[in-house]
Amino acid sequence: MIRRTAFLALLILAACSQPPRDAESFARAPQDAARVIADCEAGRTDRDCDAARQGLAEARRGARMAAYAQTIREP
């Protein structure tokens, strides 16, 4: 009975935790990426750090390319 209860509790906790996010999802939400990176650098988490850094870099690259396209008047 104790094993079954422990297994059920572990299963519930696993179901409630967020799945790891990928770089694309962080690129669409750069504020979230910056928050995760700050948590990583402060040592509060080690989850999703690489994906957040990659996503934030992609978001910044997209912003630079949009500014460049606006400057040379490309659609």
Side-chain angles (χ1 to χ4, degrees), residues 20-23 26 32-57:
R21 295 173 63 182
D22 60 353
F26 281 117
D32 291 344
R35 190 172 343 153
V36 169
I37 292 169
D39 287 346
C40 293
E41 291 175 354
R44 289 188 293 266
T45 186
D46 60 353
R47 188 170 182 222
D48 297 333
C49 295
D50 292 334
R53 286 184 181 100
Q54 188 177 11
L56 187 58

